[in-house]
Each structure stands twice: as C-alpha cells, then as structure tokens.
Amino acid sequence: MKPLPVVGWRELVSLPELGLAGIPAKIDTGARTSSLHAEVIDDFVRAGQRFVRFAVDWDGKRHCCEAVHVDLRGITSSNGESQERFVIKTPLTIGNYNFRAEISLADRSQMQFPILIGRTALRRRFVVDSGHSWLQSAAIADRGAAAGRSPVSKGFP
C-alpha cells in the first residue's frame, strides 16, 4: 500500500472547471462535506440535466459559475443550524493531486476561509498534519519563508 500524501490544516486549492485557482482552504476533518462561499443565483434544467448558477467573489473579481447540481441537501453548519444547500461535483486540485469532489454552496462570508475541505473529499487520498500549513502549496510556503515571516496574513495570501 502506497503512503498517502500529507496536507496541512490550510492549503491552496483550485477548482479548474469553475475557473478558480489558488484559493486558501481550511482542511477540516471535523466537517463531512466540503463547502464553497458562493451566492446561488439560479437553478435550471439544460438538456435534461439540473444545473446551478452561482457567483463566487474571489481574487477581487466576481466569477459567475455553472455546475451540474448533484443534490439539494440538509447540511448542519458549524453553529449547529441545518441548512438546505445546493451540492455540486467538480474537479478539485490540491498541490499536484486532482480529483472530483462534492462541494456544497454556502454563505461563508463570516468565515476566515472561502472554502472548507471536509473529510469525505480527503478520505483515502490524504493524511492531515494539523500542526503544519501549506504542505501541498509550495508557492505560498516558499514566499513566506523567503520573506522570513508567515506566508499568510488574516488567513489569506
């Protein structure tokens, strides 16, 4: 059995099909489902498939995205409230690893990280080292080390 790659408690991730790259993510084994900060605009049917259109404000821009709507689920948030959320399935990249992950769309405006990667996405793919950050995000780790300081201020590069 091949050893699994190690991720830190925060990493840069990309959602290439959505045009989003270098997003700081919290790696959270306490959360089952991954979650992306997004404003749902519309859900619709195209060629017999259900889609959801949503906006992600990232990198100083508003990105309008569309994805196949996999499910509408009741998900319990970190404050214990149950919320109905759209769930999409899209490629997710962490370091050099790319795989499809289910991600719920939620208002994360009060959270430090715009995306949270939950244990379902991590399972059988990664081991989490909660004492380190940016283990799969060499660019940000190198930038911080070269400056002689932490690579992130307030949780974002």
Side-chain angles (χ1 to χ4, degrees):
M1 188 169 163
K2 186 178 173 185
L4 297 174
V6 180
V7 293
W9 74 270
R10 53 190 177 170
E11 295 288 348
L12 293 181
V13 303
S14 296
L15 301 168
E17 280 188 2
L18 303 179
L20 303 171
I23 306 168
K26 179 178 182 185
I27 306 299
D28 188 352
T29 60
R32 179 180 299 136
T33 309
S34 299
S35 178
L36 172 66
H37 176 62
E39 177 186 338
V40 174
I41 297 170
D42 190 22
D43 67 309
F44 59 96
V45 176
R46 180 189 299 141
Q49 249 186 331
R50 298 208 56 189
F51 281 78
V52 62
R53 183 176 295 121
F54 53 97
V56 177
D57 295 327
W58 170 243
D59 203 20
K61 297 179 235 173
R62 175 159 269 215
H63 300 266
C64 288
C65 306
E66 287 183 5
V68 173
H69 158 186
V70 174
D71 201 2
L72 187 60
R73 274 187 213 150
I75 295 177
T76 303
S77 66
S78 60
N79 65 8
E81 283 183 28
S82 186
Q83 305 169 333
E84 279 226 323
R85 294 185 192 170
F86 286 96
V87 177
I88 63 170
K89 193 167 190 174
T90 189
L92 170 68
T93 303
I94 301 176
N96 294 322
Y97 303 93
N98 191 36
F99 54 94
R100 292 185 70 75
E102 286 191 351
I103 301 172
S104 72
L105 305 177
D107 178 359
R108 294 187 51 81
S109 59
Q110 300 304 308
M111 304 297 176
Q112 187 176 11
F113 293 88
I115 188 166
L116 178 140
I117 307 300
R119 67 180 176 266
T120 302
L122 300 166
R123 185 176 48 223
R124 293 195 266 300
R125 291 187 178 101
F126 298 99
V127 173
V128 180
D129 181 342
S130 62
H132 289 88
S133 298
W134 320 119
L135 298 176
Q136 295 295 323
S137 306
I140 195 166
D142 292 346
R143 186 172 64 212
R149 60 179 162 68
S150 170
V152 171
S153 168
K154 297 183 185 173
F156 297 94

